[in-house]
Amino acid sequence: MHLAELNIAHMRAPIGSPELADFVDALEPINALADAAPGFVWRLKEDPNQPRLTVKHDFGDHLLVNFSIWESLDALWNYVYKTHHLDFLRRRREWFKRMAEPTMVMWWIPEGYIPSVAEAMERLERLKAEGPSPMAFTYKDSYSSEEALAFMNAPLTKSESGVVTSRNS
């Protein structure tokens, strides 16, 4: 199993504005750092030949989407918190608005599978609506790939009216 990770950020200004110039200037080296990090598998790119471009999507003009796949939670953690990436993460409030709800979600996927951005956004919405589970979680409340498989293989439960409501876990 691999780990899919989506994070979103609400930009304080348009991507081409002077307010975001330092962030945009850092895109190429920070993305190159991720691409070379141990355990990195894949990253959504708008154009592989233009590393400063951000991903276009249908979820709002000021919403920045970062979507990647890693071999493990430790590999992602090590990249995020133990590389030069952390210096830019600490500066995020200069470029992005604080959001009251979760902006990051992770979940386990079969190796070789690439989820769509729409699927990733659904996972984020699930996390917001239901809280952490093996199907959508955060660093603080993470689950192993074994726990995700056990959850997916658990029988469905039904409410008293016979409606399938959730999995036993």
Side-chain angles (χ1 to χ4, degrees):
M1 300 277 283
H2 280 160
L3 182 73
E5 185 270 343
L6 169 80
N7 66 74
I8 61 171
H10 192 269
M11 296 181 286
R12 291 187 174 278
I15 192 73
S17 69
E19 292 91 343
L20 290 180
D22 285 353
F23 172 76
V24 173
D25 289 345
L27 283 173
E28 186 172 358
I30 291 300
N31 286 335
L33 183 65
D35 294 353
F40 172 82
V41 175
W42 173 88
R43 175 173 53 83
L44 180 63
K45 301 174 185 174
E46 184 63 28
D47 182 339
N49 297 316
Q50 297 188 35
R52 291 171 54 112
L53 285 182
T54 56
V55 173
K56 293 182 179 153
H57 55 79
D58 298 327
F59 301 100
D61 291 340
H62 288 291
L63 196 67
L64 193 68
V65 171
N66 185 10
F67 186 24
S68 59
I69 297 175
W70 296 80
E71 289 179 355
S72 68
L73 187 61
D74 287 342
L76 176 59
W77 177 273
N78 289 337
Y79 163 69
V80 171
Y81 294 106
K82 295 183 177 179
T83 69
H84 186 51
H85 174 272
L86 182 58
D87 297 332
F88 288 90
L89 182 62
R90 287 180 174 139
R91 295 181 62 193
R92 67 187 179 278
R93 297 289 172 248
E94 295 175 32
W95 308 308
F96 305 110
K97 294 181 179 178
R98 183 177 296 275
M99 296 173 71
E101 50 191 16
T103 58
M104 183 262 211
V105 65
M106 297 182 283
W107 71 101
W108 294 101
I109 58 172
E111 291 183 23
Y113 176 69
I114 306 290
S116 68
V117 172
E119 180 181 345
M121 293 300 276
E122 288 173 11
R123 295 286 179 151
L124 183 59
E125 290 304 316
R126 182 178 184 148
L127 176 67
K128 291 175 187 175
E130 301 173 12
S133 76
M135 304 304 288
F137 55 88
T138 64
Y139 284 122
K140 182 180 176 190
D141 298 298
S142 63
Y143 292 84
S144 69
S145 60
E146 292 81 13
E147 290 171 311
L149 281 172
F151 183 84
M152 289 185 285
N153 292 328
L156 296 173
T157 58
K158 292 183 179 180
S159 68
E160 290 182 15
S161 63
V163 175
V164 175
T165 57
S166 66
R167 295 186 184 279
N168 285 329
S169 60

